[in-house]
């Protein structure tokens, strides 16, 4: 595929598309967003007009028939991701899909299998592994800076902006709830930074402080990773004054990253060991720009996307294990990767 003229179709007239992904695609030389589809034709047209997109369609079918569309970005509500991705793949389009890939593990696996069979690029928009901070954390661990890692802690308790509350806080059937929304990012970031897979989950969740209809709005969970690390995840929609962070504590040192569970290219990484504490320099770059660039390179036959479809399956599986652990009050085993690929 030529890098010079790739047309993208956006499925979902969403906030993330508006705030981050339009600019991320437009930052890639030769790539343009040529169409947007929504369940509502008027909203698609309004979104297209507002953002300088040539065509707005009242449904995915028309977008998939548009010959100018070669890549599809899906950012609809979560329960629509699977059917939309399968339709896009069947139409021969490469697909960058939002997280969680689907609301069930079976659906997520079907999406990955369909992409593999079609020979198309299929990726998950887990943005945090594109952050310079998280890449630095991984490099420090890889380089032995803290010795053998023992524990990790993810702090991702925020107050959910009113404009994106909607289905997240009142519609579990749409894939709402903090575990599939934020917890799934924490899982992916842990997998990336530790180069390890979750094998067991326990957790307790809250609901009803901000949410309705049983959607979780806060969770504390622990994952056991296959390298022995215990990883604690605190995610919430209800906390107004906490900061975000990611820590890894090893036998010889600790990495403390602050303000890093975010959509912004921001945050700092500190290394603590017998020599004391020092800031580790990072060169920030837009997380979504990096992710889309990797996707574009994969479409052009160069390398793999930053987070593959399989990564999306793994993070969803662990997030669903946390949901089940919270509901049952029991620890939940997570199948090793070979069992899902
Ligand atoms: P939004 O609520 O903004 O959009 C989701 C869907 O809701 C849209 O596709 C649209 O439906 C519908 N919608 C949007 N605005 C309106 C409106 N004013 N009136 C009626 N319907 C509306 O969700 P987000 O952008 O926050 O999330 C979309 C997806 O992206 C989710 O899967 C989420 O998990 C993911 N996400 C990922 C992030 C990341 O960093 N990777 C960050 C944030 C979200 P339609 O399809 O019909 O246009």
């Amino acid at each position: 595929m030529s890098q010079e003229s790739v047309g993208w179709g956006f499925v979902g007239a969403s906030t993330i598309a508006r705030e981050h992904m339009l600019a991320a695609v437009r930052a890639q030389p030769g790539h343009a967003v040529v169409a947007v589809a929504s369940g509502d034709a008027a909203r698609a047209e309004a979104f297209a007009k507002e953002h300088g997109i040539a065509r707005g369609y009242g449904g995915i079918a028309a977008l998939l028939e548009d010959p100018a569309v070669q890549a599809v970005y899906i950012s609809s509500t979560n329960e629509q991701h699977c059917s939309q991705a399968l339709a896009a793949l069947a139409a021969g389009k490469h697909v960058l899909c939002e997280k969680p890939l689907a609301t069930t593990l079976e659906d997520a696996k079907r999406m990955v299998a369909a992409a593999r069979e079609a020979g198309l690029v299929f990726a998950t928009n887990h943005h945090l592994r594109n952050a310079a901070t998280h890449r630095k954390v991984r490099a420090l661990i890889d380089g032995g800076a803290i010795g053998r890692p023992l524990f990790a802690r993810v702090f991702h308790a925020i107050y959910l902006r009113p404009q994106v509350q909607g289905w997240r806080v009142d519609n579990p059937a749409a894939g709402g709830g903090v575990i599939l929304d934020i917890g799934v990012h924490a899982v992916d970031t842990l997998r990336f930074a530790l180069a390890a897979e979750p094998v067991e989950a326990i957790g307790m969740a809250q609901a009803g402080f901000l949410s309705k209809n049983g959607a979780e709005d806060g969770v504390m969970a622990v994952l056991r990773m296959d390298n022995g690390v215990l990883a604690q995840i605190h995610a919430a929609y209800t906390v107004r004054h906490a900061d975000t962070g990611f820590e890894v504590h090893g036998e010889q040192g600790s990495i403390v990253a602050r303000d890093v569970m975010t959509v912004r290219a921001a945050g700092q990484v500190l290394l603590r060991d017998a020599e004391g504490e020092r800031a580790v320099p990072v060169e920030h770059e837009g997380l979504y720009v990096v992710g889309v660039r990797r996707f574009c390179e994969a479409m052009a036959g160069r390398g793999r996307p930053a987070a593959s479809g399989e990564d999306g399956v793994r993070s969803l599986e662990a997030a669903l294990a946390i949901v089940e652990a919270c509901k049952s009050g029991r620890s939940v085993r997570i199948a090793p990767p070979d069992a899902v690929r």
Side-chain angles (χ1 to χ4, degrees):
M1 173 176 294
S2 161
Q3 268 269 299
E4 272 63 59
S5 58
V6 177
W8 287 68
F10 274 29
V11 175
S14 68
T15 308
I16 179 79
R18 175 185 293 114
E19 293 185 352
H20 295 284
M21 293 301 288
L22 274 168
V25 171
R26 288 171 171 164
Q28 316 299 327
H31 288 251
V33 182
V34 297
V36 60
S38 164
D40 179 303
R43 196 167 62 250
E45 278 161 29
F47 190 96
K49 191 171 172 198
E50 183 186 348
H51 298 290
I53 300 169
R55 291 174 289 286
Y57 295 116
I60 186 174
L63 179 138
L64 295 178
E65 284 169 12
D66 187 328
V69 172
Q70 287 130 350
V72 166
Y73 165 62
I74 297 172
S75 66
S76 52
T77 49
N78 302 333
E79 86 287 11
Q80 301 182 81
H81 293 176
C82 179
S83 61
Q84 292 171 338
L86 292 177
L89 292 164
K93 319 292 183 186
H94 301 288
V95 174
L96 174 57
C97 186
E98 272 305 342
K99 43 52 67 173
L101 278 189
T103 54
T104 70
L105 188 59
E106 293 68 31
D107 278 354
K109 288 182 186 175
R110 282 168 60 212
M111 296 156 82
V112 171
R116 189 178 296 136
E117 276 161 30
L120 294 162
V121 178
F122 180 67
T124 314
N125 203 29
H126 276 306
H127 64 300
L128 290 166
R129 58 169 61 208
N130 301 319
T133 48
H134 291 293
R135 294 204 306 270
K136 184 62 73 177
V137 171
R138 178 175 165 131
L140 287 168
I141 296 168
D142 273 355
I146 60 168
R148 182 165 58 171
L150 299 172
F151 299 99
R153 301 197 286 207
V154 183
F155 307 93
H156 202 160
I158 49 120
Y159 189 78
L160 191 65
R161 292 182 291 159
Q163 59 266 44
V164 291
Q165 288 182 8
W167 56 274
R168 278 185 172 81
V169 297
D170 66 11
N171 194 353
V178 75
I179 301 173
L180 286 193
D181 186 29
I182 294 182
V184 76
H185 276 312
V187 174
D188 183 69
T189 310
L190 286 163
R191 294 180 58 249
F192 174 73
L194 296 165
E197 295 292 344
V199 293
E200 186 179 0
I202 59 167
M204 291 189 193
Q206 295 176 335
F209 289 89
L210 181 69
S211 66
K212 299 182 191 118
N213 304 325
E216 313 95 2
D217 53 22
V219 64
M220 284 191 164
V222 176
L223 295 177
R224 187 188 302 280
M225 309 298 286
D226 63 1
N227 61 355
V229 168
L230 294 182
Q232 183 187 62
I233 296 170
H234 177 200
Y237 289 151
T238 48
V239 175
R240 292 178 188 269
H241 301 293
D243 52 8
T244 73
F246 188 92
E247 298 179 357
V248 185
H249 303 280
E251 284 181 326
Q252 307 299 331
S254 289
I255 299 166
V256 175
R258 283 286 177 262
D259 190 23
V260 291
M261 304 304 290
T262 172
V263 296
R264 292 174 290 109
Q268 59 171 336
V269 179
L270 303 172
L271 178 61
R272 295 181 191 151
D273 58 16
E275 312 292 314
E277 176 182 289
R278 59 241 179 240
V280 182
V282 292
E283 287 184 30
H284 292 295
E285 187 179 4
L287 283 60
Y288 300 96
V289 172
V290 174
V292 173
R293 186 167 68 226
R294 291 278 303 274
F295 186 85
C296 295
E297 286 170 355
M299 281 196 290
R302 296 189 297 275
R304 288 165 52 84
S308 64
E310 286 86 352
D311 288 313
V313 169
R314 293 298 300 165
S315 59
L316 175 64
E317 183 169 30
L320 289 170
I322 293 171
V323 171
E324 190 186 332
C326 292
K327 283 188 178 146
S328 66
R330 298 178 189 279
S331 84
V332 176
R333 297 270 169 193
I334 302 166
D338 287 344
V340 300
R341 288 181 186 169

